[in-house]
Amino acid sequence: MSRSLMKDGRPRSPFSMVTMGVLALLWTIPTIGLLVTSFRTRDDAAGSGWWTALFNPFSADWTTSNYSGAWTGADLSSGFINSIVVAIPATVIPIMFAAFAAYAFTFMDFRFKEFFFLLIIAVMVVPIQVAFQPMLNLLGPRGLGISGEYISVWLLHTGFGMPLCIYTLRNYMSTLPRSVVESAKIDGCSHFQTFWRLVAPMSIPAIAAFATLQFLWVWNDLLIAKLFLKSENTTVIVKLQQLLGTQGQGQELLTAGAFISIVVPMIVFFTLQRFMVRGMTSGAVKG
Amino acid sequence: MTADTSAAAPRQRMRTGDDPDAHLRTNPAKLVLGLVGMIAMVWGLANLFLAFAYYPQWFGNNKFIIGVLAIIGGVGGAALLFFFLNMFVESLPRRLSEGAIPYAFLLPGLLLVALMLIYPTFQTINYSFANSDSTAYVGLQNYKTIFADPEFWSSIGNNVLWLLIVPAIVVAFGVIVAVLADKLSATGEKTAKSLVFLPMAISFVGASAIWGLVYAYNNPGQTQTGLLNAIWVGLGGDPQTWLAISTAKLNSILLMVILIWLQVGFAMVLLSSAIKGVPEDTIEAARIDGAGEVQIFWRVVIPQIRGTIITVFVTVFITVLKVFDIVYVTTNGAYGTNVIANLFFNKLFAASEAGQATAIVVVLLIAVTPLIWYQIKHFRDEEANR
């Protein structure tokens, strides 16, 4: 069999091309279905499959009213703002705390260092469900009374994201040349200065990778938002989950709502994909 | 703020250099400022957030203003907390300061982990021996109740099924996609990988909405708008309510498809970078020895990416063990699809049975214990090779 060559000189592999084409299509079709349906009127979507609208785009009944209906009618707009307010601090705060801890684990010597680090590794596996009843008591009306507010969710996401963040950043920092930190010390820099001026800037790739993963995780979370946010503070994902239960009237808003909830993570994903891949392959794996 | 302090500090250090005993003394001004700063930060932030909750009218009842202030307060507050904490520790006499500074860096993070994960673990074990609102101990009653509940055993059975099927298939698909994409042109590889990776950005709830369209059901005679039923009817079958069919666990398997769809991209990314790391000369040597492509794959590539395969498998395994959202939003455990995490959620919130719910979590906790041991062993091995 004669094989044509690609630009880089490797032989073309028709089998790979066909199989990957089919797989990529299979992986994309469900999302395309959602996108197409979200622009169809209720009657149109109930009367025929979304693919008929795609094959006969001019006879289909297109509309953007599902989006306006979901945004204002189903109040996804407030959920959207809440999601941003929840997700940004819940991404940045754990990194701040974890970066200092990772610095200590990498560049400092102290008693019980190994014990503390093994503890971090152990709690990475612990299911977060253990926290719910105790935390509902501690943060709720029986305790501090902040359950339902943003801060309780930030605290929870910070706590839950911390072990993985410390682990990832420590793994990355231990690949940095120790001599840089040593010479900073000789030049009279305190640890605080070494951290801000040298180690934190050098760790940006790992920080960006973890930030992407943590942002996606917080934005897409249902459980914590559902349990610890009151209804006017709740996130777009919880709003979407409530839409999913809708039957009949209002059902057409679901597809538009789902797409609204996907847009931000999608943008983050496409702009930071490079960092994310690099971070994941260097050990940022969420348990 | 940070830039200012770091610029000022070296000058100060030079001055202390003139005084040989300076490092033995406490710097009272910085000590007090650091301490007061820390306390003021915590107090101020606590009040700010309480004000968001109880006096939203102070902020014009405006979500946006509250949101921006919350972001600034939360992020800036955490940074300032470290600033004052560091100031406090550095003002101590040198010897004390050097001993204390690792803990100053470590403890804020560690305390949060302790508060959010370690304390609740013990409290959950404690609650599992208490009644439905955790006010009195009932001994082993909760465990007796859940072990006598057929729903619990059916959930365990489903979890086991998820664990047997999903991680293995995700890894298999991940390897296939990674290997095949590696043989495409650079553009083709990038596009194909992005498309398979994309679902990683989608939430479990969003994915359930997407697949809800695929599994949709219309009465016989009507046009089928669900992709699966359209194909099924096209092949001559009767329309099915797919997620209600528990024969051969079909509905559970269809829910697993959603998770597999979400996770393959993640597996592919890790496996792809491992495959690209396989040295070309090992493959070339096998080729010279007359090995076929299939043999090279099984005998040369797979053994060299074994470590990554195990990592991916364990990570997906842990995700599957805690699977909740997909089941909750599609069937909520009906038609024999329940899983442990969903059962826990319903016991805790729909049934208000905190005792039984925490007992279920303890069972889950026991199930992950071997994984803790594995992770620690894995870490020790990696450190030894570093």
Side-chain angles (χ1 to χ4, degrees):
Chain A
M1 190 174 69
S2 75
R3 282 176 154 188
S4 62
L5 295 181
M6 294 188 290
K7 264 191 229 146
D8 51 11
R10 289 177 301 154
R12 265 183 217 287
S13 159
F15 173 74
S16 307
M17 286 160 73
V18 172
T19 321
M20 272 315 291
V22 171
L23 279 175
L25 203 63
L26 271 179
W27 246 257
T28 323
I29 283 176
T31 317
I32 294 175
L34 180 82
L35 183 64
V36 171
T37 311
S38 71
F39 286 107
R40 302 179 74 198
T41 59
R42 182 176 156 68
D43 292 339
D44 208 33
S48 59
W50 57 267
W51 51 91
T52 51
L54 205 57
F55 292 140
N56 305 302
F58 298 108
S59 60
D61 207 359
W62 300 105
T63 177
T64 54
S65 68
N66 296 338
Y67 281 89
S68 51
W71 186 253
T72 51
D75 201 25
L76 253 67
S77 54
S78 77
F80 195 84
I81 294 172
N82 289 332
S83 279
I84 293 174
V85 175
V86 165
I88 294 178
T91 304
V92 180
I93 299 174
I95 291 174
M96 189 98 65
F97 283 92
F100 277 100
Y103 179 93
F105 276 126
T106 320
F107 299 111
M108 293 169 163
D109 285 311
F110 51 91
R111 280 176 68 123
F112 305 118
K113 182 167 153 177
E114 195 184 358
F115 168 78
F116 282 134
F117 200 71
L118 291 183
L119 195 68
I120 295 290
I121 291 173
V123 294
M124 271 165 57
V125 183
V126 170
I128 59 170
Q129 277 89 349
V130 298
F132 292 157
Q133 181 60 17
M135 280 297 131
L136 280 169
N137 280 344
L138 186 70
L139 302 176
R142 282 205 229 172
L144 298 170
I146 55 167
S147 184
E149 305 304 329
Y150 297 127
I151 186 163
S152 59
V153 180
W154 295 344
L155 279 173
L156 288 165
H157 279 302
T158 301
F160 297 155
M162 189 80 65
L164 182 77
C165 192
I166 294 177
Y167 182 74
T168 312
L169 292 183
R170 184 252 175 211
N171 274 359
Y172 187 86
M173 284 179 189
S174 58
T175 64
L176 298 176
R178 261 192 110 89
S179 55
V180 175
V181 176
E182 298 290 333
S183 57
K185 202 174 173 186
I186 292 166
D187 289 347
C189 280
S190 70
H191 280 296
F192 195 68
Q193 290 164 333
T194 315
F195 174 83
W196 278 113
R197 287 207 200 147
L198 285 171
V199 175
M202 278 157 77
S203 306
I204 287 294
I207 289 174
F210 179 82
T212 317
L213 286 172
Q214 173 81 357
F215 183 87
L216 290 180
W217 199 70
V218 173
W219 183 281
N220 288 337
D221 158 72
L222 171 70
L223 254 181
I224 297 169
K226 197 171 169 60
L227 298 182
F228 291 92
L229 286 174
K230 57 187 179 192
S231 60
E232 66 257 40
N233 285 351
T234 208
T235 62
V236 72
I237 297 294
V238 177
K239 295 263 182 195
L240 179 65
Q241 179 258 320
Q242 289 159 355
L243 269 181
L244 263 170
T246 322
Q247 296 290 331
Q249 201 70 32
Q251 212 184 354
E252 71 277 11
L253 304 181
L254 171 69
T255 49
F259 224 83
I260 291 172
S261 80
I262 292 172
V263 166
V264 171
M266 210 78 111
I267 294 170
V268 169
F269 176 82
F270 273 119
T271 46
L272 296 172
Q273 190 182 6
R274 206 162 40 92
F275 286 113
M276 199 159 111
V277 169
R278 204 190 300 161
M280 274 167 49
T281 48
S282 68
V285 168
K286 182 135 210 159
Chain B
M1 170 214 82
T2 324
D4 290 347
T5 49
S6 25
R11 256 179 282 135
Q12 200 172 31
R13 202 158 284 280
M14 262 191 282
R15 255 185 281 126
T16 52
D18 301 337
D19 176 0
D21 293 333
H23 63 275
L24 296 175
R25 280 198 297 272
T26 312
N27 182 335
K30 281 177 83 179
L31 184 83
V32 171
L33 187 60
L35 198 61
V36 170
M38 265 195 292
I39 294 167
M41 273 319 303
V42 173
W43 184 83
L45 279 181
N47 277 295
L48 181 68
F49 291 120
L50 287 178
F52 289 156
Y54 296 114
Y55 304 104
Q57 65 274 19
W58 291 0
F59 310 96
N61 277 320
N62 186 327
K63 266 245 128 83
F64 189 74
I65 295 177
I66 293 183
V68 170
L69 281 177
I71 290 172
I72 295 172
V75 175
L80 276 176
L81 189 68
F82 270 105
F83 174 73
F84 286 122
L85 178 62
N86 180 67
M87 183 188 275
F88 174 73
V89 175
E90 279 189 350
S91 70
L92 297 172
R94 173 74 60 88
R95 194 172 296 161
L96 200 61
S97 163
E98 283 196 344
I101 209 144
Y103 298 101
F105 276 35
L106 191 64
L107 284 182
L110 218 56
L111 282 177
L112 274 168
V113 172
L115 180 69
M116 297 295 160
L117 285 163
I118 297 171
Y119 152 77
T121 304
F122 291 105
Q123 189 67 294
T124 287
I125 296 172
N126 182 18
Y127 285 162
S128 75
F129 298 107
N131 61 3
S132 58
D133 55 358
S134 315
T135 46
Y137 285 105
V138 293
L140 290 172
Q141 190 53 47
N142 292 320
Y143 290 94
K144 283 183 192 150
T145 312
I146 61 166
F147 289 151
D149 183 359
E151 190 69 12
F152 172 78
W153 293 109
S154 133
S155 304
I156 293 266
N158 284 332
N159 261 95
V160 170
L161 199 64
W162 279 75
L163 290 172
L164 286 176
I165 295 176
V166 178
I169 294 197
V170 166
V171 168
F173 263 107
V175 172
I176 292 170
V177 174
V179 169
L180 292 181
D182 199 38
K183 297 193 194 302
L184 298 180
S185 66
T187 332
E189 176 175 1
K190 213 176 145 212
T191 318
K193 277 173 152 183
S194 283
L195 289 177
V196 175
F197 196 29
L198 183 71
M200 175 112 191
I202 298 175
S203 61
F204 289 114
V205 182
S208 304
I210 288 172
W211 283 84
L213 287 177
V214 176
Y215 298 148
Y217 165 82
N218 300 79
N219 290 322
Q222 287 181 329
T223 320
Q224 294 300 318
T225 57
L227 191 58
L228 191 57
N229 265 325
I231 295 170
W232 184 250
V233 170
L235 293 173
D238 292 323
Q240 305 288 333
T241 47
W242 295 107
L243 295 183
I245 302 173
S246 57
T247 319
K249 290 281 172 202
L250 181 68
N251 47 8
S252 289
I253 291 169
L254 290 175
L255 294 181
M256 291 176 206
V257 169
I258 305 178
L259 188 59
I260 293 169
W261 179 73
L262 284 168
Q263 297 271 315
V264 164
F266 156 78
M268 177 267 299
V269 165
L270 291 191
L271 292 164
S272 176
S273 96
I275 286 173
K276 286 190 191 304
V278 172
E280 194 61 36
D281 45 349
T282 59
I283 295 172
E284 214 44 56
R287 212 167 266 151
I288 290 165
D289 290 345
E293 289 298 317
V294 177
Q295 254 185 319
I296 289 176
F297 175 74
W298 284 109
R299 299 263 183 88
V300 181
V301 177
I302 291 286
Q304 295 194 66
I305 61 169
R306 220 181 114 247
T308 312
I309 290 181
I310 294 173
T311 307
V312 171
F313 189 90
V314 170
T315 312
V316 178
F317 194 90
I318 294 171
T319 311
V320 174
L321 200 58
K322 298 186 256 187
V323 67
F324 160 73
D325 309 33
I326 294 174
V327 175
Y328 176 66
V329 301
T330 50
T331 63
N332 196 10
Y335 316 114
T337 55
N338 219 353
V339 289
I340 283 296
N342 189 58
L343 184 70
F344 156 79
F345 185 85
N346 284 326
K347 280 271 191 258
L348 190 52
F349 299 99
S352 296
E353 287 284 356
Q356 289 177 36
T358 46
I360 291 171
V361 180
V362 172
V363 173
L364 197 59
L365 202 57
I366 292 168
V368 299
T369 312
L371 286 170
I372 295 178
W373 171 82
Y374 169 81
Q375 292 281 57
I376 288 177
K377 184 178 162 292
H378 180 74
F379 166 73
R380 285 236 162 97
D381 291 348
E382 275 202 341
E383 287 304 288
N385 293 332
R386 203 177 271 279

